[in-house]
Amino acid sequence: MSSGKQGPNSVGPCTSSSSETDAKSGDVITVTIGATVPTGFEHTAAEEVKEKIGVEARISKDRGRIYFPITTDKLFQVHLLRSVDNLFVVVEEYDHYQFKQSKEETLMELQQLASKLPWTNALEVWKLNGTLKKKKGHRKGGSTTKVKPSRNTADVAAADTEQQLHQVVSAAESHLEADSAADAEPCEQDSQEAAPEARVIKFRVTCNRAGDKHSFSSNEAARDFGGAVQEFFQWKADMTKFDIEVLLNIHNEEMVIGIALTEESLHRRNISHFGPTTLRSTLCYGMLRLCKPQASDVILDPMCGTGAIPLEGAIEFSSSFYIAGDNNDMAVNRTVNNICHIQKRRADKGRISGLPIDTVQWDLCSLPIRTSSVDIIITDMPFGKRMGSKKKNWDLYPLCLREMARVCRPGSGKAVLLTQDKKCFAKAISRMGGLWRKLHTVWVNVGGLHAGVYLLKRTGAVFGQTPEDVHEHDETLLKENNCMRE
């Protein structure tokens, strides 16, 4: 991100941060991709980008976002990332955009900015991205009528869309290269004459704003900037059935303009049967990377809910074996249904449908599992908000942490536990007699709640022989003796 870009002084004919030169369709160009990720797991996402794409990712000042460069011939690789929720291609970015004090002046500047941005490369990437991913119909909120078109109809629609996409990019190039409106008019007329019946591109602008020193609201910025974009490209505004989503991300003085590459968040990829507290698959992936599963590891989720964590593990870290359990029969049924959904989807694609996962209904505090037989325990513990209660957690947490310590391998076992009830968790750990040692904590945002992902290591202490175990045993004997005397 260029720190030299200082707001209105740089919003004239400017160079895109994506590439130094505009490229025509088919050329390999380098662009900047932005990705939203689960808050707290930015470094995990950056590690995955480095591992899978081989480039360094930059973590934004605005938590929950990373940026990285990629060439268009490798664009497909961004859709293989498992730690990102949404993807977008950067049109332009500013480190220190000097917003005016007056709301009217600021909104006027945003309107003027729309026609001066280097849209060409970003639109080329958006067009290429459309050919890489399968069509999933309209976005959420759009038409849900399932009418299967004839082959000819579908081909004509696809051809119209492709033709219109080409015109969009051509129009952007014409606008940006023109010295005057008069020079641009013939290009516009030629485009209209070439395909008078082409489908009009529909768009919307979404503004994500953070900071308390702005004189304008998110809706006002989206409205005025969107109006200018509409006037510049002659697109049609549509809030639900849109083809292009233009993003206006503002965080204090940082501003990034982009075009969305994902229609819906990638965190929904595995779950078809949702429960009251289903975790995002991207957050599950971050938790799994934290515990670094190895080949042949036995990984346990004793409170699996809908099975989001073990399902993500079975798909992405398939050399380990996963056991998903819950005491609630409805939760177990949801997990089974989600597993079947993934297996059917894999079979439909001609892939091996089997997954290294099994599901059990059990009592969390008395697991039917041999002592010291589990390598990793990973679970989403009840927050005491939508599930359970804070009062019940004071009894539940110590009991389940002890049972987890019993089944986990001493010396090498690990646990990754998510909870928002931090006070109760800290107290429960302190009562474990040294069975668990806290290694690391990642602070995350889960549905607006500030929660912690705790990485614990199972110490070498023998279960049942800690000072707390001896003390409890002595208390039990004392109670039994008192009962016999009475």
Side-chain angles (χ1 to χ4, degrees), residues 114-329:
S115 62
K116 300 173 182 179
L117 291 170
W119 294 97
T120 307
N121 288 351
L123 287 169
E124 282 287 355
V125 170
W126 171 73
K127 182 173 74 170
L128 174 61
N129 186 68
T131 66
L132 293 176
K133 61 183 181 179
K134 293 183 177 179
K135 294 182 179 179
K136 297 180 180 179
H138 290 301
R139 297 171 186 245
K140 189 175 180 180
S143 173
T144 57
T145 306
K146 297 182 179 179
V147 180
K148 188 175 181 180
S150 67
R151 183 177 180 85
N152 291 338
T153 305
D155 290 344
V156 170
D160 284 347
T161 301
E162 180 64 26
Q163 189 173 23
Q164 184 66 10
L165 296 183
H166 179 70
Q167 290 173 25
V168 167
V169 178
S170 299
E173 290 172 347
S174 299
H175 279 296
L176 293 169
E177 293 171 1
D179 294 325
S180 65
D183 294 331
E185 271 181 28
C187 298
E188 203 170 308
Q189 290 172 0
D190 290 344
S191 296
Q192 291 173 355
E193 289 173 8
E197 297 179 0
R199 185 171 64 85
V200 176
I201 290 291
K202 297 178 182 178
F203 85 107
R204 84 171 185 189
V205 172
T206 301
C207 178
N208 301 298
R209 185 182 61 86
D212 54 5
K213 294 183 180 180
H214 301 133
S215 60
F216 55 91
S217 68
S218 301
N219 287 338
E220 289 170 335
R223 179 197 66 203
D224 286 38
F225 184 71
V229 170
Q230 182 179 25
E231 184 177 346
F232 181 62
F233 285 111
Q234 296 300 303
W235 293 341
K236 180 180 179 182
D238 194 316
M239 297 297 103
T240 55
K241 301 177 184 178
F242 47 91
D243 303 296
I244 297 179
E245 182 174 23
V246 177
L247 303 174
L248 188 61
N249 296 328
I250 301 171
H251 179 73
N252 294 322
E253 292 183 341
E254 180 182 281
M255 182 167 73
V256 180
I257 298 96
I259 296 177
L261 299 180
T262 45
E263 292 185 356
E264 64 177 1
S265 177
L266 301 176
H267 78 261
R268 297 174 175 270
R269 55 181 172 255
N270 297 334
I271 305 300
S272 58
H273 294 74
F274 288 84
T277 58
T278 301
L279 275 188
R280 293 185 292 171
S281 295
T282 45
L283 179 55
C284 298
Y285 180 82
M287 292 173 66
L288 284 156
R289 277 189 74 102
L290 198 60
C291 62
K292 299 177 180 177
Q294 302 297 312
S296 77
D297 275 352
V298 175
I299 301 178
L300 173 70
D301 184 350
M303 295 176 271
C304 67
T306 57
I309 296 174
L311 255 177
E312 183 69 21
I315 294 169
E316 295 302 316
F317 303 92
S318 57
S319 58
S320 302
F321 183 76
Y322 299 82
I323 305 174
D326 204 289
N327 67 335
N328 186 294
D329 58 343

Side-chain angles (χ1 to χ4, degrees), residues 34 37 39 59 73 106 215 221 231 236 311 324 366 396 421 457 459:
V37 303
T39 302
I59 297 172
D73 59 329
T106 300
S215 60
E231 184 177 346
K236 180 180 179 182
L311 255 177
S366 182
L396 176 65
D421 200 344
K457 180 176 176 61
T459 66

